[in-house]
Amino acid sequence: VKVAKDHYERAAKLDHPVAQFYLANLLGKEDYEKSVSWCQKSADLGYAPAQVKFAIMIQAKDAETSVKYLEKACQQGHDAAIYHLAKRYLAGDGVPLDKAKGNNLMEQAAKKGNAQAQYEFGYLVQDNKTKWEMYEKAAQNGVAEAQYNIGFAI
């Protein structure tokens, strides 16, 4: 791990966004402030997975900036970003509460294959056929809650 970390750090210093992101992940709890810093650098270079992770890292401290990073990743079609932005609209966290927009985004993320979005969209949707289709997809993608709900209903 030390050798990988050294190589990631060299590449990260040369503004390689993927290396910055992996370095941020390796630093994790070991040096959280550096992890956040490298993740932000990667996010600022436009790397969608870093934009999502950075948004999550700063959510509690700065919900509005967090949303801006999620929106950037959404523009790249990143399913996890769409899912997290949907959650924000459904809760009014860093954005005005907008259930319709949140549901629409949740559906988009579900259609892109995000397993948690499939489960949550299944929960939100009123149409039983769509609800069970989403639960089945989520269950097939390993979402325990969806597996439980299907098992409970049978």
Side-chain angles (χ1 to χ4, degrees):
V1 174
K2 170 94 172 92
V3 174
K5 186 171 149 187
D6 290 343
H7 286 285
Y8 285 144
E9 191 162 9
R10 282 189 213 129
K13 288 178 180 176
L14 296 171
D15 287 334
H16 190 286
V18 179
Q20 291 169 335
F21 178 69
Y22 285 137
L23 181 59
N25 286 331
L26 278 176
L27 289 169
K29 294 178 184 175
E30 171 188 318
D31 190 337
Y32 188 73
E33 292 305 314
K34 273 189 181 177
S35 176
V36 172
S37 176
W38 281 116
C39 195
Q40 182 177 12
K41 288 176 183 180
S42 178
D44 288 342
L45 289 173
Y47 189 54
Q51 291 168 333
V52 175
K53 183 175 180 107
F54 181 66
I56 293 167
M57 292 171 117
I58 67 168
Q59 177 181 354
K61 290 183 180 178
D62 188 350
E64 289 181 20
T65 300
S66 175
V67 166
K68 289 177 184 173
Y69 278 91
L70 288 176
E71 289 171 340
K72 290 177 184 182
C74 285
Q75 291 171 358
Q76 297 179 59
H78 196 278
D79 67 298
I82 298 167
Y83 165 74
H84 286 285
L85 190 58
K87 298 282 287 180
R88 302 291 179 86
Y89 276 101
L90 290 168
D93 183 11
V95 295
L97 179 68
D98 188 337
K99 300 270 185 189
K101 187 167 187 172
N103 286 341
N104 185 0
L105 288 167
M106 193 65 74
E107 181 178 15
Q108 287 179 38
K111 287 181 176 177
K112 285 187 152 293
N114 183 286
Q116 194 62 38
Q118 290 167 337
Y119 171 70
E120 293 191 34
F121 182 66
Y123 180 80
L124 294 169
V125 73
Q126 299 299 313
D127 173 48
N128 281 333
K129 182 179 183 230
T130 304
K131 179 183 292 293
W132 287 105
E133 285 174 0
M134 289 293 109
Y135 279 171
E136 286 175 0
K137 285 181 180 181
Q140 290 168 358
N141 287 320
V143 177
E145 296 93 346
Q147 294 167 346
Y148 168 79
N149 284 351
I150 290 170
F152 185 76
I154 294 177

